[in-house]
Structures are given as C-alpha cells and as structure tokens.
Amino acid sequence: MAKQHANWSPYDNNGGSCVAIAGADYCVIAADTRMSSGYNILTRDYSKTCKLADKAVLASSGFQADVKALQKQLAARHLIYQHQHNKQMSCPAMAQLLSNTLYYKRFFPYYAFNVLGGLDNEGKGCVFTYDAVGSYERVGYSSQGSGSTLIIPFLDNQLKSPSPLLLPAQDAVTPLSESEAVDLVKTCFASATERDIYTGDRLEIVILNADGIRREFMELRKD
Amino acid sequence: MFRNQYDTDVTTWSPAGRLFQVEYAMEAVKQGSAAIGLRSKTHVVLGCVNKANSELSSHQKKIFKVDDHIGVAIAGLTADGRVLSRYMRNECINYSFTYESPLPVGRLVVQLADKAQVCTQRSWKRPYGVGLLVAGLDESGAHLYYNCPSGNYFEYQAFAIGSRSQAAKTYLERRFDNFMDSSREDLIKDALMAIRETLQGETLKSSICTVAVVGVGESFHILDQGTVQQMIDAFDIAGEQEAPAPEPDADAEQGAAAEPGAGADQVGAVDEGVAPMDI
C-alpha cells in the first residue's frame, strides 16, 4: 500500500509577483496588490511590501500568513538591534538576519519568496534575492513570485550584461536613472499581468534613495 | 548605618519585622544622583542630574527609552538599572508582537515589581539596588510610577529620588496641584526648576542634566542639549546662584563618593549623534 498523504496542507499560495532593481544611489522595490487563493481573488488591495528599516524594504510573495509572521519577527528583532546598537540596521545586516531567520525554520519553512531592497552602507542601491529557506545572493535586480518566470527573462534582456565572451562584464548595479528604473518596473508588471492570472489589480512601487522613501501606485488589469 | 545582627541575609527577618537587606538596597537608591518625574494629563517629563566621576570621564546614562510610549529614569546602582531596562524593553517587544498594541504602563510596573520581589525572598539573590521612575502613556492616560527595590510600586503626580531629592520634592509638593492641567512647556520648566533645587546653588546648565518627554502624539525621547539650554535660558532658571565657585567642587566630590562600590562609573561616551532610539 502506497504511503498515505495528508489531505490537509498547512500552506496556501496567495500568488503575486515582486520585483526589485538596484541603482547607483536608489533602489526600486515593487509588488502587485492582488491576493488570491486557487482561482479566487481574496482582495485586490493587499500590500506585499514592508519597510523593515530606514534603508531596507522587503517584498514577499507566497503564503501571506507566513509572510506576515516573518515580517513581525524581523520587526521585533530590529527593535532589539536598535536598543543594543543605538542605530538602524543596514540593508546588508538585515539581509543576513533574514537569511538566518528563514533557515531557522529549515524543517517547516516560511512559504515566503523574498526580495529585499535598499541602500548599502555606501548609499548604493542593493537587492538581495532569497529562496524559502534562506539561501541568498546580492544582485542588481531580481523577481520572485508567480510572475517571476515572465519578468526575470525580460529584466535579463534589459539589464544583464551580455556573456563575457562577447563583451566585457558590467557592474551589477544598473546604469539606469531612477525614473527609467520605475518605468521599467511598470513595463514588467504590465506584461506579467497579461499572462499570469495571479498578478494584477494594482502595482505598488517603493523608491528608496538618499532623500528618503517614496511610494507610487499604478493600476493594472483586473482580470 | 549601624551593623545589625539580622542583616546578613535577605531571607532573615529582624525581631521588629524588618528585612534589613531590602532597606539597605533602598539606601543605595538614596545615594544615587537625583532623578525627578512629573506628569500632566497628556505628558510626562523625566529629568536627572548627570554627575560624572571626574572631569575626564563621561556621565552615566540614567534615562532609558523602553518603548515609544514608555521611558524610565533610574537612581542607584546604574548597572542594575540597565539590566532592568533591558527586561522592560523585552517585555514591551513581546507584548507588541503578540497583541499588536503597546504594553499598558500599569502592567509593566507590576511585572517589574514582581521581579524585584523575587530577589527579596531568595537566599542566593540580592535585591536590585536601583529605584525606577517609569513614565508612560497608554489608553488610560499619562502615568508616572516609582518602583523601589522592595518590590513596591506607587503611582505619582510628581516624584524625586536620589541624593538631595528632598529639595526637589519640596518644590514639587508646592506646585503639584497645577500639574494636571499644565502645558508641555510648563511641565518641562517645572522639571528643570526641580532639578535645579537638587543642585543646591550650582548653576543649572544643560551639560549637567538630562530631560526626556513622552506625551500624546509624542514618542518618548530625550531632549537634546541645545533645546534644554534654550529652555533654561528662556525661563531664566539658571539665574539664582546662592553659593560661589567652591560649592560645585564640593558637590562633585559628594556626588562621586555617593555612588560607592558599584564601580560602574566608567561607561562609554553617550551617543549624542542622530540616534533613532534615544536610549
């Protein structure tokens, strides 16, 4: 007799896509605001982004209950850090903390696919991309979630340096201006919305730079 | 203090029904430099005197931010105060995490008092040698509590602890009827006047005192030196010097001798930069 499998899962996938792009002195983090379950839409107005520190913003798709729990954990740990060090956490520090927090639950993971964006200690944009158990890497741009398979190839085409065999390699940090990066993000989501049923409704864009933090919204197709 | 037969252990009662170790712990509070607190309906102000051991060293941190809505000023063994502040911060974070709302001040002081009581009933422990003025704001309004080493706590309209606190208390007793309806500025002014009372003639400058405020729409934060000095000048408080220069020296010596044995007088330089958590 084959092993019986559970007819109940502790996880659900609420869909959605996240993107982050790092610039020379800015970082753009974006996510759609649709929350779904199966073929149903639960709400068209749910934020997947969370400001963890002055210079670190997290965008996560996946199971939003786990995402919320993860955000709360990180926020509490950040408070403790501030008490002990008398300052806010830097983005690279938060990146390591996020990785450790995820791996802590290696054998009952947070079903969260994360992209952390912000400014590093030198003020340059940085993006860190994760899997569900904390493996992470600093990159110039990344996408996670249901639309990521559609978005990443497009960003590769626009931002990635061609193979070093053809042309000399470029810096990971994008040579785009802030407004160009924001437009690129809007284009990504407009395209992903067309073909991914779980992405749509509205796009929330968070822009981090030396002047502080700014938020923009764009309507997406609702079908 | 005279040596007593019944004061070796905190778990030994005296025939008169006293626990001497607990009372000695409360003496430690009286030896620390002064801390004062006062509250109105909407704000609570904490102030303390910063006495450095010598000109070469920095002064100890006596006011700690516990959460956005709670702060604490301590007098006595500063090391004990630091440890208790860490406990309070932890409690606030855990409560916030579970209930997504700020920990009510009254609950926090009870937890603190229970923690202090434990140390009065274990033979392998000693009471905390620090008195805490807890200032906080919650749904039921602005509160000021005093937690003492015995495990007792009281709510106050205004209070002062530490050395020469009686002078401040006398000042506050005369004025406290008006505090409930005071404006924020008047409350801070009264705090500065009370601090000045404890200095006994020494000029009041922002370099020797620290003031912190919490209120409706205002997170707990320590006022920066510039602002405090402006207020001292504006209210013309620095003014009345009864005694000439020799007094401050005598005061400094008294202050230094008054924090005995604790040894924790060498603390790292106070961070006066732009710190989001003004601890």
Side-chain angles (χ1 to χ4, degrees):
Chain A
M1 182 175 118
K3 182 175 178 181
Q4 282 215 309
H5 280 109
N7 48 15
W8 175 84
S9 167
Y11 296 114
D12 188 13
N13 191 348
N14 300 120
S17 316
C18 308
V19 164
I21 300 179
D25 60 350
Y26 65 87
C27 188
V28 177
I29 303 103
D32 69 322
T33 62
R34 172 178 288 177
M35 187 177 180
S36 20
S37 178
Y39 286 123
N40 302 310
I41 292 180
L42 298 176
T43 177
R44 299 190 190 275
D45 195 14
Y46 191 84
S47 174
K48 296 190 195 39
T49 59
C50 177
K51 181 183 144 178
L52 296 175
D54 276 349
K55 304 204 171 156
V57 174
L58 179 67
S60 325
S61 75
F63 181 37
Q64 291 300 322
D66 274 359
V67 168
K68 182 65 113 191
L70 179 64
Q71 288 170 354
K72 284 179 79 164
Q73 261 284 64
L74 294 170
R77 288 301 307 277
H78 187 221
L79 255 186
I80 296 171
Y81 181 96
Q82 286 180 80
H83 279 130
Q84 290 175 344
H85 297 91
N86 221 13
K87 62 172 187 153
Q88 296 248 332
M89 270 176 104
S90 66
C91 195
M94 186 60 81
Q96 186 65 52
L97 177 65
L98 174 54
S99 172
N100 292 345
T101 309
L102 291 169
Y103 196 80
Y104 199 72
K105 279 179 48 87
R106 170 69 178 79
F107 300 110
F108 184 11
Y110 289 106
Y111 196 105
F113 299 100
N114 305 294
V115 179
L116 181 72
L119 302 172
D120 66 12
N121 291 316
E122 295 160 17
K124 289 194 207 151
C126 58
V127 170
F128 298 89
T129 191
Y130 295 78
D131 71 0
V133 284
S135 162
Y136 81 112
E137 184 190 5
R138 180 172 176 174
V139 289
Y141 60 91
S142 179
S143 172
Q144 293 280 352
S146 57
S148 63
T149 46
L150 301 165
I151 295 173
I152 278 275
F154 176 61
L155 288 177
D156 284 342
N157 175 270
Q158 297 291 306
L159 302 175
K160 191 176 180 176
S161 49
S163 164
L165 296 173
L166 297 173
L167 289 168
Q170 278 175 15
D171 198 6
V173 168
T174 320
L176 289 180
S177 75
E178 188 183 297
S179 50
E180 283 174 331
V182 172
D183 281 341
L184 187 60
V185 160
K186 290 178 179 173
T187 313
C188 283
F189 271 90
S191 308
T193 305
E194 291 295 306
R195 294 289 182 171
D196 177 24
I197 59 174
Y198 300 108
T199 302
D201 291 332
R202 207 161 97 254
L203 172 63
E204 181 186 12
I205 310 172
V206 179
I207 303 120
L208 263 174
N209 55 25
D211 301 328
I213 195 168
R214 200 174 91 240
R215 219 163 278 253
E216 269 186 47
F217 292 92
M218 185 182 92
E219 293 298 313
L220 296 171
R221 280 185 67 161
K222 316 225 177 280
D223 63 357
Chain B
M1 291 293 293
F2 304 113
R3 305 287 299 126
N4 292 303
Q5 275 184 289
Y6 307 99
D7 66 355
T8 317
D9 256 320
V10 72
T11 48
T12 306
W13 288 98
S14 81
R18 294 158 69 172
L19 288 170
F20 282 116
Q21 280 297 306
V22 176
E23 294 184 20
Y24 295 166
M26 286 160 65
E27 276 306 305
V29 176
K30 293 183 199 161
Q31 304 289 0
S33 55
I36 59 116
L38 47 157
R39 63 127 185 209
S40 72
K41 234 179 269 169
T42 54
H43 288 80
V44 193
V45 177
L46 291 174
C48 71
V49 170
N50 301 330
K51 275 286 165 45
N53 234 3
S54 75
E55 278 182 25
L56 295 172
S57 80
S58 63
H59 60 83
Q60 289 181 304
K61 217 158 223 170
K62 286 162 58 76
I63 298 190
F64 299 89
K65 176 169 176 174
V66 167
D67 203 348
D68 283 337
H69 66 298
I70 301 180
V72 63
I74 61 171
L77 263 54
T78 342
D80 284 1
R82 218 171 46 237
V83 160
L84 287 176
S85 303
R86 195 162 59 225
Y87 167 75
M88 292 165 81
R89 285 171 178 165
N90 230 36
E91 291 301 301
C92 284
I93 290 175
N94 287 336
Y95 188 95
S96 262
F97 186 93
T98 311
Y99 300 103
E100 295 259 344
S101 74
L103 176 56
V105 196
R107 302 266 181 90
L108 180 61
V109 293
V110 174
Q111 285 174 260
L112 201 52
D114 288 346
K115 194 170 163 68
Q117 191 280 339
V118 169
C119 299
T120 67
Q121 214 176 5
R122 305 279 185 271
S123 58
W124 63 89
K125 288 185 178 238
R126 63 157 178 84
Y128 288 105
V130 64
L132 300 110
L133 282 172
V134 183
L137 208 71
D138 58 27
E139 284 182 348
S140 54
H143 300 279
L144 175 70
Y145 290 92
Y146 171 54
N147 279 69
C148 67
S150 61
N152 277 330
Y153 69 97
F154 309 92
E155 183 162 7
Y156 284 96
Q157 192 63 39
F159 200 50
I161 54 177
S163 68
R164 284 195 289 277
S165 58
Q166 189 49 53
K169 267 188 264 190
T170 315
Y171 173 84
L172 294 169
E173 273 166 26
R174 278 193 311 229
R175 312 280 295 263
F176 80 95
D177 282 322
N178 306 321
F179 287 166
M180 261 321 216
D181 299 314
S182 275
S183 71
R184 178 185 180 275
E185 280 59 43
D186 283 340
L187 212 62
I188 299 178
K189 175 182 169 187
D190 278 316
L192 288 166
M193 305 275 272
I195 294 173
R196 195 193 54 166
E197 295 294 314
T198 69
L199 292 172
Q200 291 202 332
E202 202 182 327
T203 324
L204 179 65
K205 302 187 285 262
S206 61
S207 54
I208 55 167
C209 69
T210 308
V211 179
V213 188
V214 63
V216 174
E218 191 179 353
S219 285
F220 183 90
H221 65 285
I222 296 179
L223 301 181
D224 73 280
Q225 275 208 340
T227 317
V228 176
Q229 188 58 50
Q230 271 177 10
M231 290 185 137
I232 293 175
D233 297 331
F235 295 136
D236 196 23
I237 302 174
E240 308 151 34
Q241 264 163 291
E242 282 138 4
E247 262 287 305
D249 290 337
D251 275 353
E253 271 171 42
Q254 219 170 346
E259 307 237 29
D265 280 323
Q266 285 72 36
V267 168
V270 175
D271 182 2
E272 301 208 1
V274 183
M277 294 294 253
D278 276 351
I279 300 170

